[in-house]
Amino acid sequence: MSTEDPKNTLDFEVENMNFHRLLVAVDEDDSTSSIRAFNYAVTLAKTYRVPLAIVTILETGDLNIYDSLSPDVLSDHRQEVLDKINQYAAKAKDFGVTDVTPLIGEGKPGNIIVNKIIPDWRPDLLIVGSETTDKNRLFIGSQASYMAQNAACSVIVVRANDM
Amino acid sequence: MSTEDPKNTLDFEVENMNFHRLLVAVDEDDSTSSIRAFNYAVTLAKTYRVPLAIVTILETGDLNIYDSLSPDVLSDHRQEVLDKINQYAAKAKDFGVTDVTPLIGEGKPGNIIVNKIIPDWRPDLLIVGSETTDKNRLFIGSQASYMAQNAACSVIVVRANDM
């Protein structure tokens, strides 16, 4: 009987598996999938009482050429992103996550998250939304795909709407 | 104060978010990441008491040209895959998952899972390992990436080893 063939018999013990250190990426547009990703992240962090970092990336490439030459505009934009990430952190704490760390990066989201934020924060799970509501931006979609492929940790891509 | 600017204020309520119908893809090689994906899937399904389908794809393209021309070899291979998926299902039930459905497909894993298995089973979360132990095969890696990008549901790509 082929089930008795050793090469065809499963020889591992099933184990509980959970994640112990989380990173959620939220985009600047608060797209639906980004908010769902955030909700899932805080649910996991609260349920399993694990640390959660919330990161948003200031996409400097998004500013137009004139804006990006102006230190004032860039500074205002930085302040907006900082306010936003602190509001996300406050919401996570209000929800019941005790260990919350807000993080900000600057540049191309997938690249910064994979090559800078993850090596620094060392999460075992990255949670990202699948897309942005703004078709002109690339935060998620190609960025989520890049992260799923290149992150040194497990990655969950959360869709805006399930079937 | 910029936090009072309406466009910069987060106007959503944080909610618990969980998944309600799971699909886990296991590869034929029982790679480490595939087993971790299975462990995570059964942990979720048991914790939240939700249905879990376990799918493996018979990669007919893997057989060499002579083998694939032989009905006997293909039939043996099918039987092995069937034995294997039933063992996975039994392990899930022993672990405490009450609603377990074994599924088999045939063809290219990413394509079959995205275009046939998901539309039929309608999971809200697909769980896949990130890679196979066998470098000659492409089950996960390019396949995981394809699924993360194209599945109509959320996708978690589970790595073999976290940092």
Side-chain angles (χ1 to χ4, degrees):
Chain A
M1 212 176 102
S2 58
T3 50
E4 289 171 3
D5 177 350
K7 82 172 171 54
N8 203 35
T9 299
L10 293 180
D11 63 351
F12 73 95
E13 289 301 312
V14 184
E15 291 172 4
N16 266 294
M17 187 193 143
N18 285 306
F19 295 102
H20 301 102
R21 192 171 172 86
L22 311 178
L23 174 66
V24 60
V26 291
D27 63 25
E28 287 184 59
D29 298 326
D30 312 320
S31 67
T32 307
S33 66
S34 178
I35 289 173
R36 290 192 87 206
F38 177 78
N39 284 338
Y40 190 59
V42 294
T43 302
L44 280 184
K46 181 182 175 179
T47 304
Y48 297 104
R49 298 177 192 178
V50 294
L52 171 67
I54 307 166
V55 65
T56 197
I57 305 296
L58 176 64
E59 295 175 76
T60 43
D62 278 353
L63 303 176
N64 74 46
I65 182 72
Y66 302 104
D67 283 350
S68 63
L69 293 174
S70 151
D72 283 354
V73 169
L74 195 55
S75 170
D76 284 357
H77 194 181
R78 270 202 199 95
Q79 188 58 49
E80 281 171 21
V81 169
L82 193 65
D83 287 344
K84 180 74 69 83
I85 201 75
N86 286 331
Q87 288 180 64
Y88 270 107
K91 275 184 181 286
K93 283 182 182 168
D94 287 348
F95 185 72
V97 182
T98 49
D99 188 343
V100 179
T101 302
L103 298 172
I104 291 184
E106 220 164 293
K108 200 173 168 144
N111 177 44
I112 299 295
I113 288 172
V114 164
N115 297 312
K116 188 168 181 326
I117 306 290
I118 289 177
D120 284 353
W121 175 251
R122 300 175 70 85
D124 53 7
L125 179 65
L126 167 66
I127 301 136
V128 293
S130 62
E131 64 230 314
T132 171
T133 45
D134 183 334
K135 301 296 183 196
N136 296 319
R137 302 181 68 171
L138 291 171
F139 176 42
I140 295 289
S142 65
Q143 299 295 305
S145 168
Y146 175 84
M147 290 186 264
Q149 227 170 334
N150 294 290
C153 60
S154 297
V155 178
I156 180 165
V157 179
V158 177
R159 302 265 162 216
N161 296 299
D162 292 311
M163 293 182 298
Chain B
M1 212 175 100
S2 60
T3 49
E4 287 170 4
D5 177 352
K7 81 171 171 53
N8 202 35
T9 299
L10 293 179
D11 64 351
F12 72 95
E13 289 301 312
V14 184
E15 291 172 4
N16 266 293
M17 187 192 144
N18 285 305
F19 295 102
H20 301 103
R21 193 171 170 87
L22 310 178
L23 174 67
V24 60
V26 291
D27 62 25
E28 287 185 58
D29 297 326
D30 313 320
S31 67
T32 307
S33 68
S34 178
I35 289 172
R36 290 193 87 208
F38 177 78
N39 284 337
Y40 190 61
V42 294
T43 302
L44 280 184
K46 182 183 176 180
T47 304
Y48 296 104
R49 297 177 192 179
V50 294
L52 170 68
I54 306 166
V55 65
T56 197
I57 304 297
L58 177 62
E59 295 175 76
T60 43
D62 279 352
L63 303 175
N64 74 46
I65 184 72
Y66 303 104
D67 283 350
S68 63
L69 292 174
S70 151
D72 283 355
V73 169
L74 194 55
S75 169
D76 285 355
H77 195 180
R78 269 203 199 93
Q79 188 57 49
E80 281 172 22
V81 169
L82 194 64
D83 288 344
K84 181 74 69 86
I85 201 75
N86 285 331
Q87 288 180 64
Y88 270 107
K91 274 185 181 284
K93 284 183 182 167
D94 287 348
F95 185 71
V97 182
T98 49
D99 187 343
V100 180
T101 303
L103 298 172
I104 291 184
E106 219 164 295
K108 200 173 168 142
N111 177 44
I112 298 295
I113 289 172
V114 164
N115 298 312
K116 186 165 182 327
I117 307 291
I118 289 176
D120 284 353
W121 175 252
R122 300 173 72 83
D124 53 7
L125 179 65
L126 167 66
I127 301 136
V128 293
S130 62
E131 63 230 314
T132 172
T133 45
D134 184 334
K135 301 295 182 195
N136 295 319
R137 301 180 70 170
L138 290 172
F139 176 41
I140 296 287
S142 66
Q143 299 295 307
S145 168
Y146 175 84
M147 290 186 264
Q149 228 171 333
N150 295 289
C153 61
S154 298
V155 177
I156 180 165
V157 178
V158 177
R159 302 265 162 216
N161 296 300
D162 291 310
M163 293 181 297

